[in-house]
Amino acid sequence: MRVALLVTCINDALYPDTGKAVVTLLRRLGVDVDFPTAQTCCAQPMVNTGYLDEAVPVVRTYVDAFAGYDAIVTPSGSCAGSARHQHSIVARRSGDPALEAAVAQTGPRTHELSEFLVDVLGVTDVGAYFPHTVTYHPTCHSLRMLGVGDRPRQLLEKVRGLTLVDLPQAEECCGFGGTFAVKNADTSVAMGSDKARHVRETGAEMVVAGDNSCLMHIGGLLSRERSGVRPVHLAEILASTEDSEGRSDGPAVGARAGERA
Amino acid sequence: MTSARDEILAAVRAALDGVEPAGPLPPPPTVRPVDDLVGLFVERVEDYRAVVTRCAADEVAATVAAALAGGSAVVPSGLGIEVPGSVVDPSTGSGHRDGLSATDLDGIDAVVTAARVGIAETGTIVLDHAEDQGRRAISLVPDLHVCVVRADQVVADVPDAVALLDPARALTWISGPSATSDIELDRVEGVHGPRTLHVVLVE
Amino acid sequence: MTGGTFVGMPAFPEAARAALGDTQLRHNLAHATHTIRDKRARVVAEVEEWEELRVAGTAVKEAALRDLATHLEQLEASLTARGATVHWARDAAEACAIVARVTHAHGADEVVKVKSMATAEIGLNEALEAEGIAAWETDLAELIVQLGDDLPSHILVPAIHRNRAEIREIFRRRMGDVGRPAPDDLTDEPSVLAAAARAHLREKFLRAKVAVSGANFAVAETGTLVVVESEGNGRMCLTLPEVLISVVGIEKVVPTWRDLDPLLRLLPRSSTGERMNPYTSMWSGVTPGDGPQEVHVVLIDNGRTRALADDVGRQALRCIRCSACLNVCPVYERVGGHAYGSVYPGPIGAILNPLLNGVSDPQTASLPYASSLCGACFEVCPVRIDIPSVLVDQRAQVVDSHRGDAVPKPEAVAMRATAWAFSDARRLRWAHRASGGAGRVLDRLGRTTLPGGRRAAGRLPGPGAAWTSARDLPAPPAESFRAWWQRTDGGRR
């Protein structure tokens, strides 16, 4: 099985450790994951802001970069949702039947990380160790657009050393919403501050989710409040082991040392 | 000048140009079998804070009298239950409105009617305003509605009721006393319709 | 007001900012939306086959819409055969004029009204007032809005933004101006307030000659109109006056009598969170000896055929006005209904207003963006309107409407630049090198450390300020993922 990593534009530019964690994790599970360097972005920022014409070349880049892979794995429910549910809209807009045919191939092969682990690889115990108390926020697109259900929880429950505490009103949106976060910044922050409050109420050390975009928003508020609670991507927890935990250059805790390595 | 009618219908047709009509409809889910229809009906009616009294066929008149507690009452002409001292609404089925006025009805404490069907799942009574139920106004204006429902009139759920009812008749579906949730979404029973619904279930 | 939008409203972000600062509103809304959300969840969970029911309800409405002209003609024929007079109105002004004409024909200077979204949409009360006709709202929440000279903020509970203390004050101050005053000992208990409304409105019900209603459903096959309500004010209006005028959107038609089944099972549970609402009235034209003996039905377009022509947005016409989408919406929960500037607020309003009116008005054009696209609305919609997809499509229509602008908006310039960078990975690498350089600088200069030890980027200028005014942002790392992959051969070196 040829497996490609869709690292996503935001992880590529801002959260490279999440991408490294997926590579570490999948290799540990025996998957020789490739990173097609022609990839850029899933085009969701353009599509969700209404720029469909502008999204056409971006989707074209996507299908060209990932052509021929059996599975495309991404540490983002939102980007997986974009490929599966929105690329066809962009392709129709392009009027190019070849692009429509291409997205019909790449779309269904795009899997969010927890879906890939549980459904494609059939594992829930990935051999991870993470001795921290965390709370899980199901991001809207993974929850409602993809329907990942309890897969992330199944994976987290098998992590040694990890204590998972329930997040009150977990299924309510954090308020990120892509360009919503700046176009309607006040409303976005009002939603996010309630989410941050619920996170703090749990007493967890970290809030875990499958999307760094939502975590950037929730974490940005938690940081501004000097709450001492930090966001962590699911992939980084699952990549963490007894050997990597505590090391400043290991993928799981890389964020702790900044990106200076 | 084209009429509004023609213009709207033309705009509808233009809007749907090239849109395929829908295929056959999926059947709505069927109703789960209910073991104790009448028991469920009573439970669900009471859930709306309506009063339910179960009685035998020969106890109906006494049960109704007890429910009225000596207040004045209006009854439809074809009720078929002895309600001593009650006013019979003369206009029922007569095809004109020289019966009791709305103001007359507003001066009467209660109304006694039969029903067409009871729905167990939702605790609903449906009136089809036949002669044993009377025109719509009499079961609306008085503040107490005593409604006599026979156990054999109770069906399981909404689809059974829709199948039984005649759309040529005016119909009133009643689920508990009048109510509102317009103040802070807290439910309050008793607004414009009868503030008390008393269901007499005849077994 | 035409097409349901309030004149002079600011665009959504500005209106929302003001609403977010209203502490009383925030508190009232949080209480009300969570109460109704929990009630809905409880009664929906009782129905094992809820998803099948949603599919069935969707199919009924979809079938009606896809052959709408046929069903409308059948509805007209059925109603006429049952003694009703059918009118057609292209827009709000025509519809209002018909209602005024019929009312005047009976020498009436007042009408009693059943709560109706269609009449709110066409601004009927204001139009009748201009004709010297007083329109009395009889639904409790509509009464609160009318007495308070206020605007509705919710489809089902137009006064959801008011709490009991505010309602008591409105009743005390205003009831006496238009009829029976509130009793001197009026408290803020909901049951006491409801009793005051009962007493105030009863004289109006008993004397009214003309009533105006909407309809939740109109059955083409039988000419049956259906009004779903709770308080009995609907029954009063539909039963006691001599003349009844029902204003009905053309999308309210369902083909057959049996089609009511899934909809009557879906609506109350989705709407008020009840197994069944207290009262549902069904009638077809004139019933001899019972109820109004003169019945008019005004079928209105008012933008509906515009919406019908929209391949993606057409599904919004399936809406049965339950307001479940408002109640679960995290945006609505915080900003309330007024921020949407329309009688149709919330997620359904954010798509319905642009569909009915187009997106040329900046206020309407701001509505498709008034959502984080979280999808909670689609999840609860009883007729499966994919609101997020329609929102995204509406956003594209907004952007497309500006493609001919002589001076493109800064957002368009930024989006085009981003898309250009994302269209070729080589361009992206240059961008990363620039951001990596900036990151190294910010990392040294940044005075904020994020929880976990990473440096924050500090306060950004320009549009970035919308982010950093309330949220920290990590400084870009020195090395992007792709640079790391290439430098280390995917970590193998």
Side-chain angles (χ1 to χ4, degrees), chain C residues 3 10 42 45 61 64 134 169 179 223 265 267 296 355 365 373 417 456 468 483:
Chain C
R42 271 199 303 277
K61 292 292 288 185
E169 189 51 33
R265 280 194 274 172
L267 179 54
H296 298 263
L355 284 164
L373 303 178
T468 57

Side-chain angles (χ1 to χ4, degrees), chain C residues 3 14 16 22 34 88 97 102 219 236 246 252 312 329 461 464 468 472:
Chain C
E14 289 77 50
D22 184 337
H34 283 269
W88 300 72
V102 173
V219 182
M236 290 282 178
S246 302
K252 293 292 162 204
V312 178
C329 178
T468 57
D472 285 340

Side-chain angles (χ1 to χ4, degrees), chain C residues 28-262:
Chain C
N28 294 355
L29 280 170
H31 171 76
T33 54
H34 283 269
T35 302
I36 189 74
R37 237 182 250 188
D38 296 346
K39 279 171 82 172
R40 178 202 165 273
R42 271 199 303 277
V43 294
V44 164
E46 280 183 5
V47 183
E48 274 172 53
E49 54 285 328
W50 184 254
E51 288 310 312
E52 289 165 75
L53 207 49
R54 285 176 83 210
V55 169
T58 303
V60 164
K61 292 292 288 185
E62 195 60 27
L65 289 174
R66 280 165 179 265
D67 197 8
L68 187 58
T70 307
H71 299 311
L72 284 171
E73 284 171 328
Q74 194 188 6
L75 176 67
E76 180 187 41
S78 308
L79 281 166
T80 308
R82 298 278 311 186
T85 306
V86 177
H87 310 259
W88 300 72
R90 281 168 281 220
D91 55 27
E94 280 189 355
C96 292
I98 292 164
V99 177
R101 200 170 63 230
V102 173
T103 307
H104 280 315
H106 291 272
D109 60 2
E110 64 173 2
V111 298
V112 285
K113 280 188 68 199
V114 188
K115 176 175 164 23
S116 133
M117 291 311 299
T119 59
E121 174 194 319
I122 62 174
L124 180 65
N125 295 3
E126 296 79 4
L128 291 181
E129 195 185 338
E131 293 277 338
I133 300 165
W136 306 119
E137 293 291 353
T138 64
D139 168 74
L140 179 53
E142 291 283 9
L143 177 70
I144 295 163
V145 167
Q146 188 175 43
L147 290 176
D149 284 325
D150 202 353
L151 294 168
S153 73
H154 190 274
I155 289 174
L156 173 72
V157 191
I160 195 170
H161 56 289
R162 297 292 194 186
N163 67 16
R164 59 187 70 190
E166 295 171 295
I167 294 165
R168 171 176 176 268
E169 189 51 33
I170 291 168
F171 279 11
R172 267 163 43 101
R173 220 162 16 94
R174 292 300 315 282
M175 268 184 172
D177 298 345
V178 291
R180 182 171 172 160
D184 292 337
D185 58 352
L186 187 73
T187 70
D188 65 3
E189 265 305 301
S191 58
V192 173
L193 294 167
R198 175 185 166 98
H200 176 78
L201 287 170
R202 184 140 294 225
E203 61 182 15
K204 292 186 163 67
F205 289 134
L206 295 181
R207 74 173 185 232
K209 277 191 182 155
V210 181
V212 176
S213 82
N216 292 86
F217 309 106
V219 182
E221 176 189 52
T222 57
T224 306
L225 297 192
V226 181
V227 164
V228 173
E229 54 133 353
S230 296
E231 295 167 12
N233 64 306
R235 292 177 67 193
M236 290 282 178
C237 295
L238 300 170
T239 308
L240 301 184
E242 294 158 23
V243 182
L244 173 64
I245 311 167
S246 302
V247 179
V248 182
I250 54 173
E251 85 286 13
K252 293 292 162 204
V253 67
V254 297
T256 72
W257 171 252
R258 290 292 183 104
D259 291 337
L260 290 176
D261 160 32

Side-chain angles (χ1 to χ4, degrees), chain A residues 46-53 89 93, chain C residues 359 368-369 390-403:
Chain A
M46 290 98 232
V47 176
N48 280 357
T49 316
Y51 292 83
L52 286 186
D53 287 345
I89 298 167
R93 168 88 166 203
Chain C
V359 292
Y369 295 94
V390 181
L391 285 166
V392 169
D393 189 67
Q394 293 289 314
R395 291 175 185 188
Q397 294 189 23
V398 172
V399 168
D400 289 345
S401 73
H402 287 282
R403 288 201 184 271

Side-chain angles (χ1 to χ4, degrees), chain A residues 12 14 40 48 183 223 256, chain C residues 411 422 452 454 472 482:
Chain A
D12 193 0
L14 277 177
T40 58
N48 280 357
K183 285 177 86 87
S223 168
R256 191 179 282 178
Chain C
E411 176 193 278
F422 283 155
R454 193 171 164 178
D472 285 340
R482 70 181 57 235

Side-chain angles (χ1 to χ4, degrees), chain A residues 137-249:
Chain A
H137 167 62
T139 63
C140 298
H141 287 178
S142 62
L143 185 72
R144 287 182 275 261
M145 200 187 234
L146 297 179
V148 302
D150 67 348
R151 290 175 185 81
R153 288 191 72 98
Q154 290 178 40
L155 291 159
L156 286 168
E157 279 162 6
K158 294 283 170 61
V159 174
R160 286 187 303 284
L162 181 138
T163 306
L164 183 62
V165 290
D166 284 338
L167 179 64
Q169 293 179 38
E171 295 190 355
E172 184 160 312
C173 179
C174 73
F176 171 67
T179 48
F180 176 78
V182 289
K183 285 177 86 87
N184 280 285
D186 298 278
T187 308
S188 167
V189 169
M191 291 161 68
S193 78
D194 286 342
K195 181 61 70 178
R197 173 168 55 86
H198 291 311
V199 169
R200 289 203 320 274
E201 280 166 9
T202 66
E205 180 187 344
M206 302 176 203
V207 52
V208 54
D211 280 273
N212 273 332
S213 50
C214 306
L215 286 175
M216 181 169 75
H217 171 71
I218 303 168
L221 286 158
L222 287 167
S223 168
R224 184 61 60 89
E225 297 173 337
R226 305 296 185 263
S227 67
V229 181
R230 79 168 171 102
V232 60
H233 194 284
L234 176 69
E236 298 183 32
I237 292 178
L238 299 181
S240 184
T241 62
E242 277 86 344
D243 295 332
S244 66
E245 168 64 24
R247 276 170 49 206
S248 63
D249 59 342

